[in-house]
Amino acid sequence: MSNTASGKTPLPGRGPEQARARRRGAHPLARFLVRRLLTAVLLAWGITLVTFVLTNLVPGDPVAANLGQRALGDPAIVAQWRAEHGLDKPLWEQYALHLQGLLQGDFGTSQQSHRPVAQDLAEFVPATLELAGAAILVSLVLGVGFGVLAALRRDRLSDHLLRVLSLVGISVPTFWLALVAFYVFFYRLQITPGSGRVDPALGGAPPVTGLQTIDALLAGRWDIFASAAGHLITPTLVLALYTIGLLTRFTRSAVLEVLGQDYVRAARAKGLPGRVILFRYVLRSALVPIITVAGLAFGSLLSGTVLVEAIFAWPGIGQYAYKSATTLDLPAVMGVGLVVGVVYLVINLIVDVLYGVIDPRVRLQ
Amino acid sequence: MTLEITGLKVSLGGRDILRGVDLHLEKGRVHGLAGESGSGKTMTGLAVLGLLPHGARATGRIDLGGRDLLTLPPRELNKVRGGQVAMVFQDPATSLHPMLSVGRQLTEHMRHHLGLGRAEARARAVELLGKVRIPGAEEAYGRFPHQFSGGMRQRIAIAIALACSPRVLIADEPTTALDVTVQAGVLRLLRGLCDELGLAVLLVTHDLGVMSAIADEVSVMKDGLVVETGPRGQVLREPAHAYTRSLLDALPGEPGGPAEPGGKA
């Protein structure tokens, strides 16, 4: 649009787009949300299909993995077992049944534990979410904080120190760090509690959310909360170190890039106080790349929990997934795949929505 | 004398960028600052607001109402920025924050400098948008920069600069990034505001066509020094310095004569 100075120019902006928004009577952000949610539902369906197909395509016979040598020799027993688990039906029919079950909250029955997979997941998923959630929270606070500090003190001592710290965080393998932390803090110094989620002598708080710390608070049990938080600290820090390092480096470069933008100089020329410029002008722009990386980092954090859970005997989904995969417990494997896929989906949805909240150019598209 | 720059020297990384610049800005007058890229004209503008790049050292004197801006403590300098000296930048596509609404960017420094309430600031912002001739000022208030054309964005940037009624306006190549067709409008607006509000305007430009359109006085810079200064007619028609003459000769089409505003190739 090339406006002349005559003042007869049409209203600036996207005329038809605005008119459509008014006709539907919806706030642009609301329409943006609805669009993203619909996409998410479609993707969730895609995840069920992919987990189902992949799980059934793996070379490996669940029959062989679950029945003993003698039973395998008897065709009648094998056929009966296959029929019991619906493995004799055509694949598409198995999928239809699987999907129908999912819609009713039925994830099938684990061939190993003989319990409903949904029940297993309800037990193990919250433990992992608590650990991963605490780790991402710590990473965000420390990583973004360190990154901003490093950018503002560019080329000074604190910047160099933080660079070393983030390099260490990115380079140290998580399993090694977990072992060392366990050895040093628990075995040698005895300042952190050992394995598990909570002191077994205390029992646990009545499960509401499944997150031990939150449940303890809800029950008003400070002793359980202290124990749960104590158990959470070391695995959280071990798990978070990589993400802290990653976010520190990313935030530093994102903030430095924004600091060089014209609009930051323009904000200085307006005489705005430094903290307003930092929070309103610099961080707002820098957040876009930061939340992108944070969303991806959450994914790698989830896979990192498998190792950390094993070393700290944390009863989470990582351990469950490992056990199910090695025994070819297909319903359990599909259940884990579905949960992990949906967690990714939710993270991506949150990241997308945050883009829209932060950047008007995204939600006004 | 509203703003008086005397003996301004700036060095950056061991290199002398300004080597003793003298400039005098007066109320209600547009002072054009010309020169090729690298001659130090933009640095002169930035030095007034203390916005020189990291590591630059400035000496000399920049006097505004008896105070030297170069030695002002940061807190005091922040009051001058936006409050008494405002700036319009070259490219409105990058000098407005893309994620903040026009209203926000128009009112935040008013509320900070003048202590206005939300409603007062809003009323004044809408009035300012009208003053820079943004059609539909009420509606424009809630929009975002990307919803406007380049010329409109620069008008918004000018409104932002004027929000706290500054005495001095530094316009750094305000039309360079704009379509030729909208340049004239923005220049007319600047000239009109200068006359109406009694602003002292420093117009930094490499475009002598722009200069001849609205400047009262013209200074020509080369290698960090002002080589010639005087009334527009005198400098542009009877240049005393060889460098000014070569700049004028470089104008396409009209040898030795000033071009029409916005008429550059």
Side-chain angles (χ1 to χ4, degrees):
Chain A
M1 197 189 309
S2 158
N3 288 329
T4 62
S6 64
K8 287 188 299 185
T9 47
L11 275 182
R14 298 177 152 93
E17 173 74 15
Q18 302 280 328
R20 222 179 314 142
R22 266 196 303 274
R23 255 202 315 280
R24 284 195 207 156
H27 191 271
L29 190 59
R31 290 196 303 136
F32 172 78
L33 280 178
V34 168
R35 221 166 41 224
R36 282 289 181 275
L37 271 175
L38 287 178
T39 322
V41 169
L42 218 70
L43 282 171
W45 172 73
I47 290 172
T48 66
L49 189 65
V50 170
T51 51
F52 181 83
V53 170
L54 281 184
T55 315
N56 281 283
L57 278 184
V58 285
D61 188 357
V63 178
N66 283 280
L67 291 182
Q69 272 311 319
R70 294 223 350 239
L72 276 175
D74 185 343
I77 295 180
V78 170
Q80 190 202 339
W81 196 88
R82 292 187 73 94
E84 214 172 90
H85 292 89
L87 296 177
D88 54 341
K89 299 195 178 72
L91 211 55
W92 64 267
E93 202 179 329
Q94 286 184 44
Y95 175 67
L97 284 171
H98 171 65
L99 199 60
Q100 192 187 0
L102 285 182
L103 289 175
Q104 293 160 1
D106 178 8
F107 286 67
T109 304
S110 163
Q111 293 150 8
Q112 272 307 112
S113 67
H114 300 288
R115 297 199 315 167
V117 172
Q119 200 181 324
D120 283 349
L121 291 175
E123 191 181 322
F124 296 121
V125 169
T128 297
L129 282 186
E130 185 170 32
L131 182 58
I136 195 77
L137 218 65
V138 168
S139 313
L140 276 174
V141 171
L142 292 184
V144 173
F146 286 161
V148 169
L149 195 71
L152 294 182
R153 320 220 124 233
R154 182 184 196 174
D155 293 335
R156 294 206 236 162
L157 184 65
S158 37
D159 181 24
H160 295 309
L161 286 178
L162 286 169
R163 179 174 302 135
V164 172
L165 177 88
S166 62
L167 199 67
V168 168
I170 293 170
S171 335
V172 170
T174 303
F175 76 91
W176 181 83
L177 186 70
L179 282 172
V180 169
F182 197 76
Y183 177 77
V184 171
F185 294 114
F186 172 66
Y187 186 73
R188 279 278 154 169
L189 301 175
Q190 303 194 344
I191 51 172
T192 57
S195 52
R197 294 177 76 187
V198 72
D199 189 344
L202 290 169
V208 181
T209 58
L211 310 176
Q212 198 64 246
T213 45
I214 307 283
D215 285 347
L217 284 181
L218 288 177
R221 291 287 301 273
W222 289 99
D223 50 342
I224 297 181
F225 176 76
S227 170
H231 278 81
L232 196 55
I233 286 177
T234 325
T236 298
L237 287 181
V238 165
L239 194 55
L241 192 70
Y242 172 82
T243 326
I244 293 174
L246 191 75
L247 282 177
T248 301
R249 300 206 82 163
F250 241 88
T251 305
R252 180 182 182 273
S253 65
V255 167
L256 280 179
E257 169 151 6
V258 177
L259 279 175
Q261 294 289 321
D262 259 6
Y263 52 75
V264 173
R265 199 170 56 174
R268 292 216 178 91
K270 286 161 83 175
L272 294 174
R275 80 194 121 75
V276 172
I277 294 177
L278 178 64
F279 285 103
R280 194 177 295 161
Y281 277 74
V282 178
L283 271 187
R284 185 179 286 258
S285 299
L287 271 181
V288 173
I290 291 172
I291 58 175
T292 309
V293 173
L296 292 172
F298 192 82
S300 65
L301 232 154
L302 276 183
S303 50
T305 56
V306 176
L307 293 163
V308 174
E309 281 174 10
I311 288 161
F312 288 90
W314 193 265
I317 198 171
Q319 299 222 56
Y320 183 66
Y322 176 74
K323 219 171 55 202
S324 318
T326 45
T327 56
L328 282 182
D329 185 351
L330 293 191
V333 170
M334 278 193 282
V336 170
L338 194 62
V339 166
V340 172
V342 167
V343 168
Y344 267 88
L345 195 66
V346 170
I347 298 295
N348 272 310
L349 188 68
I350 292 175
V351 167
D352 266 0
V353 169
L354 283 179
Y355 284 153
V357 170
I358 295 173
D359 192 344
R361 289 168 298 179
V362 174
R363 67 170 179 267
L364 294 176
Q365 255 171 25
Chain B
M1 214 72 72
T2 303
L3 185 81
E4 182 153 3
I5 301 174
T6 34
L8 178 65
K9 291 182 185 169
V10 169
S11 64
L12 178 60
R15 236 169 51 87
D16 293 329
I17 292 173
L18 298 182
R19 301 185 294 151
V21 170
D22 301 312
L23 278 179
H24 311 283
L25 303 195
E26 278 180 72
K27 200 168 153 22
R29 310 281 278 175
V30 174
H31 193 117
L33 189 57
E36 60 191 1
S37 354
S39 59
K41 51 195 196 314
T42 292
M43 284 294 164
T44 307
L46 291 176
V48 176
L49 279 165
L51 291 174
L52 289 169
H54 199 70
R57 284 169 40 84
T59 56
R61 187 177 168 83
I62 301 176
D63 185 292
L64 177 75
R67 294 196 296 174
D68 181 8
L69 296 186
L70 284 180
T71 58
L72 227 46
R75 188 175 282 272
E76 292 299 309
L77 184 61
N78 247 1
K79 283 187 194 158
V80 171
R81 290 172 175 167
Q84 296 183 44
V85 183
M87 188 149 184
V88 173
F89 293 89
Q90 176 169 348
D91 188 355
T94 58
S95 68
L96 297 173
H97 198 297
M99 305 178 192
L100 296 173
S101 73
V102 166
R104 183 53 146 326
Q105 301 190 58
L106 257 168
T107 53
E108 56 186 356
H109 54 316
M110 276 197 257
R111 299 189 60 183
H112 179 71
H113 288 305
L114 312 175
L116 296 185
R118 192 180 292 269
E120 288 171 291
R122 189 199 157 98
R124 173 150 171 77
V126 172
E127 183 195 320
L128 278 164
L129 287 173
K131 192 170 256 172
V132 296
R133 298 194 205 95
I134 298 284
E138 278 283 348
E139 223 183 318
Y141 181 88
R143 292 222 176 132
F144 292 89
H146 73 277
Q147 297 172 306
F148 295 87
S149 66
M152 286 296 142
R153 282 188 207 146
Q154 195 60 298
R155 286 161 186 270
I156 291 167
I158 292 170
I160 291 172
L162 297 177
C164 299
S165 314
R167 293 196 278 162
V168 179
L169 179 70
I170 296 165
D172 185 6
E173 305 269 9
T175 54
T176 308
L178 304 180
D179 283 351
V180 177
T181 46
V182 301
Q183 285 186 353
V186 169
L187 288 176
R188 256 202 304 277
L189 176 69
L190 272 178
R191 179 75 245 185
L193 291 167
C194 170
D195 297 337
E196 183 189 338
L197 305 172
L199 283 170
V201 177
L202 180 65
L203 178 71
V204 177
T205 180
H206 68 275
D207 186 341
L208 292 178
V210 165
M211 196 70 79
S212 69
I214 67 165
D216 299 304
E217 280 86 33
V218 172
S219 291
V220 179
M221 282 187 78
K222 180 179 165 48
D223 298 333
L225 284 173
V226 174
V227 293
E228 180 161 10
T229 196
R232 169 184 59 181
Q234 184 193 318
V235 175
L236 295 185
R237 276 177 224 290
E238 302 143 25
H241 198 279
Y243 178 66
T244 315
R245 224 168 295 135
S246 69
L247 277 184
L248 287 168
D249 288 341
L251 280 178
E254 298 173 61
E260 279 303 296
K264 80 179 175 94

